[in-house]
Amino acid sequence: MSEHRRKPPQPQGGGRAAARRGQAGLSSGRRAAPRGATGSPSDSYGSGSAGSVSEERPYGGRAEARRAAQRSGGSRRRAAEPARGGRRAAPGGGRGRGAPPDRKRFIDYPRAGKYGLARWVPSWRLVTGVFLAFMGGLVAAAGIGYAMVGIPKAQDTAKAQNNVFYWSNNKQMAATGGQTNRQLVPDAKIPREMKDAVVSAENASFYEDNGIDPAGIARAVLNMARGGETQGGSTITQQFVKNAYLSQEQTLSRKFKELFISIKVGQQMSKDEILANYLNIAYYGRNAYGIQAAAQAYFGVDAEKLTPSQCAFLAAVLKGPNFYNPDGGVGAGATPEANIKRAKDRWSWILGRMVEVGRMTPEDRAKVGDFPTLKKQSSNLSGQSGYLIDIAKEYVAKKAGLSPEDLEKGGYRIYTTFDKDKVNELAAAVEKTRKSFLEPEKREKDKHVQFGGASVDPKTGAIVALYGGAGYDKGHYSNNANTLGVPVGSTWKPIVLASAMQYGTYKTTPEPLSPLAKYNGNDLLEIKDQNGDPIMGNDGKPFRQKNEGTTAWGEVTLRKAMEQSINSPFAQLGIDVGLSKTREMANKMGITSNFFDKANLRNVSFSLGTSTPSAIRMADAYGSFANEGMHLEPYSVTKVIKDGQPLDGFDAPEEQKAMDANVANNVTDVLENVVKNGTGKKVADIGFPVAGKTGTTDENKSAWFVGYTRELSTAVTLFRTDPDKGKLLSMNGTGDVPSIHGGDIPAQVWKDYMAEAMKSYGTLEPFPEAEPIGEIINDTPTPTVAPTPTETVEESPTPTEKPSKPEKSPTATPTETCFGFQCNDIGGSDSGGTDGGVTSSPTPTETEEDNGGGNGNGNGSGGIFGGPSG
């Protein structure tokens, strides 16, 4: 061994020196000699022998090659530079150190050989591959779904159930609905015009599609995305499948089943078979399932004898019987008037559509004629049961999220709040008065007079009774307890008074106003805004409020003004409080802005009762006074059972504070005085404490009495309508008397009913004592001012006294009978002061409205659970 210190070995095949030696060897045109080739001892260090050469392992391996490929060009020196003029030098002639492998990945992502953002942008090959793989997956899934979903057994219509409705005592009231009224007819007995009308209206490509219409589904989705009308994109085949084989639930799985079954049905059944089955199963309204039952229900003929006009009508009804059946339906917009307009419009559109798609010639369209005449609806629901069921169905539909068509399929057990005895007692009270008061066979003015009424439990909100009309079996299908467009007149004044006591006026705020505050009660009083400036009328002159009589009342307390129902104090009071405050109070009492009259929402007349809530809503609102300021929403159903399981959403409503208890008690005290000494004297001798208010509107087009005890709040309305135009008619002359007021006929019905209904409560609870409230203003008496002759207007007929006819009185005592324009026993004063009517008046200045702007939506169709309802 050599004595000198051996030089330490160099790293095997790496380092900068090795790289330089490799480059030097290449540049000289010959390969660099491996270690040991010179025979030097140092060169042979680690060799097996002097003449043998071992292959060195390349530096780094695959991991280093990948890291080197990812490094940016200028950020770091590469591990090995490429050789000039060719491949890198490598020991033993092997692959250059650090070079990436030649084998390519199956999915080149992130992309090799790319740097920065370019590494993450997929190539067109990758995008195309992913798309094809996705489409292939969809096809495979569709194939699996198609193979797994079979055509189920059609629903057995013989097992379809009725809906059963129960009284509040859990005894059965009626059974109705369900798929029972159906007679299947063969395809040959269905008119070609009926098939053409339905295909043209619902699925013009029916005879060409494969059971589903992808383009139709896409159009529906696009239309909904744009905020247009919600559409299902369903073909006739899909509708048939849904009705015949599937449930009505709106779930994704049910929709997929519908699609696959529709495709199979389209392959196994002919188009005519599918269409005939669809027309035999579909619901057309009037409890008619199938074309044969519908033809009989609407026209009294067999299906094969339907005319083209009748076919187009039935095709229109298929769009949705609840909104296209001219009889009306359930819910806010399903009034008979609105439904018949929709039905006529769609009937006309369908006929035009048949021409458009080539299923009717223009010449045949011209021969169709007018909208078909419908036969009167027949019903096995007599008396009040039809109206009770309508109210209950409307409530169930809202709370359970069901459509009327879903309910018609049956199977529901619906338990209501209706008290059978009280329903019968209210109907008996109406019939007693009708027979003693009206003679429609002799007097034209006695025709088309309508009664309506409702009774609500103030402490729960339960609707215990209602009177909707003569009955479905008598051809009267509109529910007068849930009427549309009948102004409530002066029964609105207690709400204005409650607002003044709750919120005060601009003169007293934040202090409330006392019912003993005085206001000018003169006829033709000039109404002023909160700046003290006159409110101008449409003629450009200061507006003067008309009372019904011409009595110069002078300064009277609001209590006295309510007693005699004087208009002018409440017209001015409404402005002083702020019309928005009255609207706010009405909202809290359950009369929302949807019930307000849009035309007079910001007018002086708003305080005098231009709004049109229903009898149910008025009874419920006055229940807030009876219940010491606490309001509960009216409800008609306590529970619903379907397939043995109760549905959610039918808990009793919770109390909401509408006003302070002492405000409600003071209103009650004022309304007790109305009954004892004022326009409600007809009910004063009923035998127990009651509070109430009368109401009458212009030309006596409607008359109301709304009153209550602690246990029961009841509203009764009387009005007369034009059966063709649906407009209110004057009742002047009805019953052979000059005019009708809330203090006579409606009050008499109320009295007769409540006298019987209250017997079920045993000991009656007295009204709470009212404590003094609020600030008394204008307490200094002022001289009375009678209107000058130039101020006389002709908005009301000249007051006349006409002896009443005892034989026409609903009461036994002649002295209680008074249907005249001014009657002392009703007006409470020899000088008049009967219940004032509603007159048109101007809008206050913006000063008043700054105290609270309008928020009403105006009149519209509706019901107790939706929009306005008269």
Side-chain angles (χ1 to χ4, degrees), residues 34-40 43-44 47 49-53:
R35 186 182 301 272
T38 61
S40 168
D43 289 341
S44 64
S47 304
S49 63
S52 65
V53 179

Side-chain angles (χ1 to χ4, degrees), residues 17 116 147 149 282 306 309 323 348 358 374 404 466 509 579 599 753 813 850 867:
V149 175
L306 288 169
S309 179
F323 289 101
S348 179
L374 310 181
L466 58 82
T509 301
L579 300 184
Y753 162 66
T813 306
D850 288 341

